[in-house]
Amino acid sequence: MAFQAQYQARRCGAADALQHIKDGDTIVVPTGVAEPPALLNALSEQRTRFKGVHVSQILPVRKFGYFDAATAGNVQHTSYFLGGASRAGAQEGWVDYRASYFSEMPQLIDRGLMPADVVFALASPMDAHGYFSISLGPDYTMAAIRKARAVVLEVNPNVPFAYGHCHIHVQDVTALVEDETPITEVGLPKIGPVQQAIAKYVAEMIDDGATLQIGYGAIPDAVVMQLTDKKDLGVHTEMIGDGIMTLVEAGVVNNRRKNYLPGKIVATFGLGSRKLYDFMNRNPGLEMHPVDFTNDPYLAGQNDNLISINGSMQVDLFGQCGSESQGFKPYSGTGGQSDFVRAANRSRGGKSFIVLPSTAKDDTISRIAPVLSPGTHVSTSKNDVNYVVTEYGVAQLRGRTAKERARALIGIAHPNFRDELTEAAKKMKLL
């Protein structure tokens, strides 16, 4: 009963919760579907009353009213990773963004290098012991909760109560807002023949008993669809989505051969369907943890045969990956790609895959390039990249010379561009 009294004392409307924001504050919001719509709609409606407020988040999925160039001086989105809601604003300059490895964000918040004055987060209903679960995005949110002056939770009965290090007690909450808006559902990307061809190469190199990290995108999802004949797979990832849930239901993922937290799926945010969110609710086989736990290369790499699968937009002949910008124009963000590439490299028997179609814009541009486009942000260095996969094959780069890398990458480029790439490589003295 004492916890219920504390709960009731902290209840307020979304508009009233805005009293905890001061001019110049940074409001930290969890990743993706863990964003609290009632609070962010209230902030959007009253944004002109504030000055110099920033909302920091990875991958917003809804374009709230505060995504507005005209009022960016009042409330500005400052992204950790760009999505459809924030990309145009970043390219136009009125959305700002911060670069960091996903795994290091909690540390940067703890050290005060990334500000966190207020937290707005979606949470499950409180349990009998006074705890809420920040199940859909504990990632950097738990560090922000430790650091923030005010923590405002939007309590929603549709949010799963998950296990792991993703809980906050009512005593540590400043204000509580109640809402019943359905959690945003994110469908699977469209999978075509190119994605299926790439996925087939990758799936053939995944052995029974491997532990998976699978990023978001058509190619990673296509890989998942080709793993139904595997046995005893495990999962240690940053994102849990419908594909992983499907493998659990098929008996393919059981986590019994994992070295680190055997028997448990480990993730830091959820992104998928209503069925996925129900699957996450009080599931003893799943733990949601902050990203400095899930993405730490040392910890994740303790799993033998760790498989990392992530997409990129461009790879040069040295193996550098440009996965977050189109030239100097920001497109996505650093995220956890390098975290898991390094984790797989540490893992005994581990393999990391950078996957990408060989071309872009209706086969007019080669994604395998002599050098990255001017201004491209290097996401994963040439020293870390293991396998690069296109629909034309697999190039293994670890331990290979510059000339060997160039030959291997030209070999998996689209045939229409191989002569051009060969000539460029000769001018660069790589062939």
Side-chain angles (χ1 to χ4, degrees):
M1 293 298 293
F3 297 143
Q4 279 298 328
Q6 293 178 52
Y7 183 105
Q8 294 302 326
R10 289 162 172 77
R11 279 183 65 197
C12 66
D16 294 329
L18 302 184
Q19 66 181 307
H20 299 290
I21 303 171
K22 299 178 181 179
D23 287 347
D25 275 352
T26 292
I27 305 169
V28 174
V29 174
T31 298
V33 300
E35 61 193 16
L39 285 166
L40 293 177
N41 279 325
L43 176 66
S44 297
E45 291 167 5
Q46 299 193 36
R47 62 188 182 275
T48 56
R49 68 182 257 201
F50 299 106
K51 184 177 181 180
V53 169
H54 293 259
V55 178
S56 290
Q57 180 191 14
I58 276 186
L59 197 61
V61 293
R62 300 189 189 194
K63 194 168 185 178
F64 293 96
Y66 78 86
F67 284 95
D68 179 7
T71 57
N74 303 100
V75 177
Q76 181 184 37
H77 189 81
T78 303
S79 187
Y80 304 133
F81 190 101
L82 301 174
S86 54
R87 183 173 298 122
Q91 293 177 351
E92 293 165 10
W94 54 270
V95 166
D96 205 355
Y97 57 96
R98 299 180 188 276
S100 74
Y101 296 118
F102 199 4
S103 64
E104 294 185 355
M105 287 179 60
Q107 178 191 95
L108 294 172
I109 290 170
D110 284 336
R111 293 182 178 182
L113 297 173
M114 282 185 174
D117 303 297
V118 178
V119 173
F120 279 2
L122 207 56
S124 72
M126 185 177 72
D127 73 0
H129 307 288
Y131 285 97
F132 304 87
S133 179
I134 317 293
S135 57
L136 294 171
D139 42 31
Y140 50 83
T141 312
M142 299 303 289
I145 286 170
R146 291 194 298 270
K147 196 75 173 178
R149 182 187 70 248
V151 176
V152 183
L153 298 186
E154 186 170 313
V155 180
N156 188 313
N158 298 301
V159 175
F161 192 102
Y163 300 117
H165 181 32
C166 60
H167 304 133
I168 179 173
H169 197 271
V170 66
Q171 294 175 337
D172 299 318
V173 177
T174 309
L176 294 163
V177 173
E178 295 178 335
D179 188 68
E180 296 185 1
T181 302
I183 308 304
T184 303
E185 296 187 58
V186 179
L188 296 175
K190 184 178 179 180
I191 297 172
V194 169
Q195 289 79 17
Q196 290 176 336
I198 295 170
K200 187 174 187 295
Y201 284 117
V202 175
E204 288 173 349
M205 298 178 68
I206 297 176
D207 299 321
D208 291 344
T211 293
L212 307 177
Q213 178 269 322
I214 300 176
Y216 179 76
I219 298 172
D221 280 319
V223 173
V224 168
M225 293 171 63
Q226 298 193 35
L227 296 178
T228 54
D229 62 340
K230 304 292 183 179
K231 297 182 177 65
D232 297 333
L233 297 183
V235 174
H236 185 120
T237 189
E238 61 182 39
M239 186 196 87
I240 180 167
D242 283 69
I244 289 172
M245 175 186 66
T246 301
L247 291 179
V248 175
E249 293 176 338
V252 175
V253 166
N254 56 35
N255 299 289
R256 67 166 60 118
R257 287 170 64 177
K258 287 178 66 180
N259 304 79
Y260 194 64
L261 291 180
K264 305 289 185 182
I265 293 171
V266 176
T268 197
F269 71 92
L271 196 69
S273 67
R274 176 72 257 174
K275 185 179 179 182
L276 172 71
Y277 308 143
D278 291 341
F279 170 82
M280 294 173 65
N281 189 52
R282 298 190 180 277
N283 184 341
L286 168 69
E287 292 188 359
M288 301 299 292
H289 287 276
V291 72
D292 53 348
F293 180 89
T294 61
N295 286 39
D296 183 304
Y298 172 75
L299 297 178
Q302 292 184 41
N303 290 297
D304 291 349
N305 304 308
L306 179 65
I307 303 296
S308 168
I309 307 167
N310 290 284
S312 188
M313 292 192 288
Q314 191 178 48
V315 177
D316 72 12
L317 292 182
F318 294 99
Q320 297 184 110
C321 293
S323 308
E324 57 194 273
S325 73
Q326 296 173 328
F328 64 87
K329 291 175 62 176
Y331 187 85
S332 56
T334 303
Q337 180 179 116
S338 292
D339 294 334
F340 275 102
V341 168
R342 290 173 176 171
N345 289 342
R346 293 183 64 95
S347 165
R348 184 171 62 181
K351 301 170 186 174
S352 73
F353 296 92
I354 297 295
V355 294
L356 72 170
S358 64
T359 62
K361 293 188 176 180
D362 298 322
D363 295 339
T364 62
I365 297 174
S366 176
R367 292 181 183 267
I368 304 294
V371 295
L372 297 179
S373 301
T376 294
H377 307 173
V378 178
S379 306
T380 302
S381 81
K382 64 186 186 305
N383 302 334
D384 292 318
V385 175
N386 187 183
Y387 294 98
V388 177
V389 187
T390 73
E391 70 271 31
Y392 291 101
V394 181
Q396 196 294 111
L397 305 187
R398 294 273 287 174
R400 305 187 80 172
T401 68
K403 296 181 188 300
E404 290 169 339
R405 286 168 175 251
R407 291 192 191 97
L409 288 165
I410 292 170
I412 64 168
H414 192 287
N416 291 352
F417 292 95
R418 290 179 189 172
D419 288 345
E420 179 182 321
L421 289 168
T422 298
E423 289 304 310
K426 289 178 180 178
K427 290 179 182 178
M428 296 164 65
K429 308 303 181 185
L430 291 176
L431 292 178

